Amino acid sequence: MTPVLIDGKKVAADVRARLVKEIEELKAAGHTPGLAVVLVGEDPASQVYVGSKVKACAELGIYSQKWALPAETTQEELVELIHQLNADDRIHGILVQSPPPPHIDEEAVILNIDPRKDVDGFHPANVAKLVLEDETGFVPCTPLGCMELLAAYGIPTAGKHAVVIGRSMIVGKPMANLLVSKKANATVTIAHSRTADLPGLCRTADILVAAVGRPEMVKADYVKPGAVVVDVGINRIEDATRPRGYRIVGDVDFEAVKDSCSAITPVPGGVGPMTIAMLMANTVKACRQQMKH
Ligand code: GUN
């Protein structure tokens, strides 16, 4: 079986095109959506992500501020910046790139973000709204992007068994909540590093979502023939044949599973491009909601 390759670049471009129109309308009405992106330290992957987020804002006509703070920045200094951004009317969305350096208490920082500006959907108020299925909240961008991909390809979720490997607050848990919601109606199992017989459990999945951060962990024996595989992993592995000395692979061994699944998100070019598109969508949503007040 040759699987359908789920083209995240194309779906992300469609989302962005919709947003460009919305942003033009907002601007005509005197409202320019604004996003502040905060990076603490010099993690190379984080620097790339933050750069891509700011670039996407420019491409769509969203006002942005990039705050690149030194690794020694204290918790107090970071929180002070968050309070400043909370009070800035030009800024509708605030994002602190994860993971911060170890001396920063990330949860405490997130608690200081105004939930109405929490376009990452990490604040407990937004986590609660996701669980409550209150659509005024913000949902983390990566799982939101995964749902958008399934919808764009007409992949049904109702009555299906979805297995999500990974229980992070950024992807695994919100993904499971979205899939089990009354909108999607999947039956959901969350698996993790302590799950017994992980391959056997995954083989019962109609939709398998891999969000663990372990390169090519999902092998052929994890995948039921005909299953849909969503690979959230973005892992750098050494590769001396590449100019940069590394290449990017997912959490799924693509070559091993491609002959048995019915559809799969490739890495790169699957879920990755959707994260930023959904961040832009959340920023526009934040702008709209703040206009009303
Ligand atoms: N690090 C990896 N993914 C994300 C994300 O979606 N948001 C933030 N803030 N940091 C991340």
Side-chain angles (χ1 to χ4, degrees), residues 49 53 95-99 120 122 141-142 170 275:
Y49 296 143
K53 290 170 184 179
L95 173 153
V96 180
Q97 187 64 27
S98 183
D120 258 332
F122 294 169
C141 305
T142 302
I170 297 190
T275 297

Side-chain angles (χ1 to χ4, degrees), residues 145-157:
C146 294
M147 297 304 287
E148 189 79 24
L149 286 177
L150 295 176
Y153 279 78
I155 294 166
T157 52

Side-chain angles (χ1 to χ4, degrees), residues 13 41 47 109 149 167 206-207 213 218 220 279 288:
Q47 284 177 329
V109 171
L149 286 177
R167 53 182 156 181
D206 304 305
I207 299 169
V218 172
L279 173 65
R288 277 193 189 290

